Amino acid sequence: MTAGTERPIRRPVIPKGPATYRMPPNLADYEGVRKSFRWDEARRALSGLPGSRGLNIAYEAVDRHAAGSRAGREALRFIRADGSTRSLSYAELALQTGRFAAVLRDLGVGRGDRVFSLLGRSPELYVAVLGTFKNASVFCPLFSAFGPEPVRQRLHLGAGRVLVTTRALYRKKVAPIRDTLPDLRFILLADADGNPEPDTLDLAALLAQAPPDQDIVATQPEDMALLHFTSGTTGTPKGATHVHEAVVAHYATGLYALDLHPEDIYWCTADPGWVTGTSYGIIAPLVHGVTVVVDEEELDVDRWYRILAEQHVTIWYTAPTALRMLMKAGAERAAGHDLSALRFIASVGEPLNPEAVVWGQDVLGLPVHDNWWQTETGGIMIANFASMPIRPGSMGRPLPGIEAALVARDGQGKPLIENGAATLVTEPDVMGELALRPGWPSMFRGYLNEEERYRRCFAGGWYLTGDLAKRDDDGYFWFVGRGDDVIKSSGHLIGPFEVESCLMEHRSVAEAGVIGIPDPVAGEVVKAFVELRPGHEPSEELRLEIIGFARKRLGAAIAPRLVDFTTNLPKTRSGKILRRLLKARELGLPEGDLSTLEQAGPRP
Ligand code: ATP
Ligand code: MG
């Protein structure tokens, strides 16, 4: 069924977390909860627009609370560069987002029109996202560090009608491409300060004049709400579309996978330019009525520890790349910070190395709970739940309401679909393509302008994710690699994640990226690019030591034959290692779409 030899999964276990976890219902009865779960019941936990006028994300996230006892509760708490904070209560957020919707309406921007942002994590961004939902328009956040070309590409593809940005970003990134975007009618400057640039409008002035329009435009569950571009890890980013009904999944997954409760202080480190920063940096936590901490600055080790401690963060949702950076900086940096408020840590975006799970336990006092999802799935699909033992290195088990399976692959590595039916992997520890049964609320409804590509994602009654995984006999899923990243060497199928995680167990290795390079005898051989921890210098001796270390643990067939030292693994701006770029550079091939490449910069 699958080419290559299968190896059993290494499966250490961390006992379930301390009693501070509050997850109801107790997922320790996993099968029971799964059996009784119904999406339509989760839907009933939300109110729907008053007067049975449909379902709107912004109403569930903001106005529902603003109309009740949580009106005065801090909704968003922004941490400025100097550490000072500014907050918006649920009532204030309802008012501001209502005004933003009214500004759009007065400009003649309506249902389905696309509103883009090119903003840092400022209040205007959050107001624009939710205000756009209230006007039945469609929001598309862009990462503020994009250059002019990625901005142009996406505005063009998404037919952006409105862009919200700042003066500096406008001058640097929008003015040079303005003429090429005829659909773009309105550019709103968040910081015009009474003096907008030619061809732009002053957002603050418009908001001040706008009536606090509380009448949310009626939206139906299937109305499009969000356009999100994927990270571009495997190629040109795709524009995934999401609808208002997604909020049902944001609600349920916020409860099950993140343990969100109204009294929580919650920090999601992802930028809303990526789907995590929207689904779980804005929608899910606000739907649960929590206080959301937003850091306006970029990752800085000491600053992050300070925020966790000083803001009394209770739930923290971050990414492997950030955790690896904290690990690299050394445990001493955490010392002296009181992290006692913290009760749950989760991670997403890339495979989470077992090292990082254990490090969390040792240094932060809590293990890290990995979970898996994609831009396309709109919400968390597989997770290590708070109420269950964590298996470090595993993505966890499917959420209630989610059916996941592994589709066997044929000799060419394609999913095995015969007569419209998929052949599923049933034995434990055997690799297949991770697939999900369509029908959950936050599932994408299309790739913008790429109907055929969207259709190709579905076969035999399943949505095919493009990721390869294994499942153990307790139903935990283990990430192997992207379909394109898996290495075939002397009859073995090797997932880069397994090799990278093993390398990280070496005392000198901070981070590793692994690729296959063509070899006349083996087909491919494994090559590793390794970043060292502070205090270690590259040397021939160390190279041999690392190779020897990996051989001992993985065996000669799987361990890297070649190791290069590097100080800057190429990554996407959402923090994913760009293995395709490592490979293209290694083989002297064209580098492909690099619009999401993070430019190398000083690391703390
Ligand atoms: P593109 O689709 O443009 O190549 P991308 O797949 O990186 O980019 P995202 O939707 O941001 O874009 O990322 C989803 C992917 O990230 C998943 O398909 C998976 O490969 C990886 N991923 C996310 N979370 C995890 C996790 N917990 N473990 C392993 N891989 C993960
Ligand atoms: Mg993808």
Side-chain angles (χ1 to χ4, degrees):
M1 259 174 359
T2 35
T5 317
E6 299 293 349
R7 293 178 309 286
I9 301 164
R10 294 191 293 160
R11 58 186 83 175
V13 168
I14 287 198
K16 70 181 189 188
T20 51
Y21 296 146
R22 316 223 0 253
M23 183 164 294
N26 186 356
L27 270 170
D29 177 22
Y30 177 74
E31 292 305 337
V33 173
R34 279 181 66 80
K35 260 195 211 114
S36 60
F37 181 88
R38 299 278 174 279
W39 281 114
D40 51 352
E41 274 168 32
R43 162 82 171 76
R44 277 198 283 281
L46 304 175
S47 323
L49 279 171
S52 306
R53 291 165 56 246
L55 182 70
N56 187 290
I57 298 174
Y59 181 78
E60 302 304 332
V62 186
D63 291 49
R64 186 165 57 100
H65 304 308
S69 58
R70 266 176 254 160
R73 167 112 163 108
E74 242 181 318
L76 295 166
R77 182 189 298 167
F78 296 88
I79 322 277
R80 297 193 185 91
D82 64 3
S84 65
T85 61
R86 49 180 163 168
S87 296
L88 284 172
S89 68
Y90 278 93
E92 287 163 336
L93 191 57
L95 205 70
Q96 287 300 321
T97 51
R99 285 183 193 275
F100 189 88
V103 166
L104 293 180
R105 185 194 58 201
D106 292 349
L107 291 173
V109 176
R111 187 178 295 278
D113 285 340
R114 314 276 162 73
V115 178
F116 278 63
S117 66
L118 182 67
L119 287 167
R121 289 180 295 278
S122 63
E124 290 81 4
L125 170 56
Y126 293 74
V127 166
V129 177
L130 296 157
T132 299
F133 295 154
K134 285 188 170 183
N135 191 49
S137 305
V138 175
F139 200 82
C140 180
L142 298 179
F143 189 57
S144 63
F146 279 156
E149 181 49 26
V151 171
R152 191 202 61 74
Q153 256 180 16
R154 288 163 178 75
L155 274 166
H156 172 73
L157 204 69
R161 187 128 192 259
V162 179
L163 174 68
V164 189
T165 186
T166 62
R167 187 188 304 281
L169 291 170
Y170 170 78
R171 285 188 180 164
K172 211 162 133 195
K173 304 179 178 188
V174 185
I177 55 165
R178 177 71 188 93
D179 290 348
T180 66
L181 296 166
D183 289 330
L184 184 59
R185 293 285 306 283
F186 306 105
I187 298 173
L188 311 181
L189 293 193
D191 57 353
D193 213 8
N195 181 26
E197 304 279 314
D199 186 36
T200 71
L201 297 168
D202 180 341
L203 176 61
L206 292 175
L207 286 172
Q209 288 156 17
D213 186 358
Q214 300 300 337
D215 214 8
I216 298 176
V217 176
T219 42
Q220 294 309 309
E222 282 302 314
D223 285 352
M224 187 168 154
L226 268 169
L227 167 64
H228 247 299
F229 287 92
T230 60
S231 288
T233 313
T234 54
T236 307
K238 298 149 274 188
T241 58
H242 292 281
V243 298
H244 280 274
E245 200 195 10
V247 69
V248 178
H250 296 141
Y251 165 77
T253 56
L255 190 67
Y256 289 118
L258 297 178
D259 201 18
L260 292 172
H261 284 72
E263 61 281 11
D264 277 309
I265 311 271
Y266 166 83
W267 182 23
C268 167
T269 59
D271 187 275
W274 311 113
V275 72
T276 307
T278 313
S279 292
Y280 295 100
I282 306 178
I283 303 171
L286 293 180
V287 168
H288 282 276
V290 313
T291 294
V292 181
V293 169
V294 180
D295 182 18
E296 295 189 23
E297 293 295 299
E298 295 309 315
L299 201 173
D300 172 277
V301 173
D302 297 313
R303 181 180 170 88
W304 276 28
Y305 283 127
R306 257 199 321 274
I307 292 177
L308 285 172
E310 288 172 8
Q311 303 304 325
H312 308 288
V313 172
T314 58
I315 300 185
W316 192 37
Y317 194 19
T318 189
T321 182
L323 292 167
R324 289 194 292 256
M325 200 177 299
L326 298 187
M327 288 165 73
K328 190 169 161 186
E332 326 74 73
R333 302 279 276 275
H337 295 284
D338 176 5
L339 304 179
S340 56
L342 204 55
R343 67 177 186 86
F344 187 71
I345 307 174
S347 162
V348 72
E350 271 208 305
L352 182 67
N353 317 86
E355 272 296 285
V357 179
V358 177
W359 174 88
Q361 179 82 71
D362 292 346
V363 176
L364 306 177
L366 296 168
V368 185
H369 296 74
D370 191 16
N371 58 56
W372 176 96
W373 58 291
Q374 309 176 302
T375 310
E376 290 86 342
T377 70
I380 300 170
M381 298 284 108
I382 295 178
N384 281 281
F385 298 102
S387 52
M388 287 178 204
I390 295 179
R391 301 223 159 141
S394 151
M395 310 187 280
R397 302 161 98 179
L399 273 277
I402 300 300
E403 193 186 344
L406 299 172
V407 174
R409 306 196 320 150
D410 65 17
Q412 272 77 52
K414 300 251 179 323
L416 204 55
I417 315 272
E418 284 167 325
N419 304 324
T423 304
L424 300 183
V425 172
T426 48
E427 318 88 287
D429 298 357
V430 175
M431 188 176 77
E433 179 162 352
L434 181 59
L436 302 164
R437 184 76 80 189
W440 67 94
S442 63
M443 191 175 104
F444 72 137
R445 300 301 197 264
Y447 284 133
L448 199 68
N449 307 339
E450 293 188 276
E451 181 60 28
E452 179 49 32
R453 188 174 201 174
Y454 173 67
R455 264 205 302 273
R456 279 204 310 270
C457 296
F458 299 88
W462 294 92
Y463 162 66
L464 299 163
T465 67
D467 286 346
L468 300 176
K470 296 181 181 182
R471 184 175 38 199
D472 66 26
D473 38 20
D474 292 316
Y476 283 72
F477 283 77
W478 298 73
F479 185 79
V480 173
R482 313 259 188 162
D484 304 342
D485 287 342
V486 169
I487 303 160
K488 295 177 203 74
S489 187
S490 304
H492 295 274
L493 283 175
I494 302 167
F497 172 51
E498 182 181 9
V499 183
E500 287 160 10
S501 288
C502 168
L503 291 169
M504 277 187 63
E505 286 170 26
H506 188 270
R507 62 187 167 79
S508 73
V509 177
E511 198 156 19
V514 164
I515 59 167
I517 55 174
D519 179 85
V521 180
E524 281 185 302
V525 292
V526 178
K527 173 156 189 176
F529 296 83
V530 160
E531 263 186 53
L532 295 177
R533 287 175 193 257
H536 297 272
E537 292 302 323
S539 69
E540 196 47 35
E541 213 181 326
L542 184 56
R543 186 198 314 274
L544 293 175
E545 186 186 316
I546 291 172
I547 292 176
F549 175 86
R551 277 200 180 169
K552 209 178 275 167
R553 293 186 180 223
L554 297 171
I558 316 242
R561 192 88 62 83
L562 306 159
V563 170
D564 268 11
F565 295 108
T566 171
T567 51
N568 257 310
L569 282 170
K571 291 197 183 132
T572 66
R573 293 210 170 268
S574 49
K576 298 164 197 274
I577 297 172
L578 269 166
R579 294 179 191 83
R580 71 173 160 94
L581 182 57
L582 284 173
K583 191 158 177 169
R585 286 179 179 165
E586 183 69 22
L587 303 180
L589 298 171
E591 294 193 336
D593 187 306
L594 296 186
S595 61
T596 62
L597 175 68
E598 183 187 40
Q599 302 303 324
R603 295 272 171 138

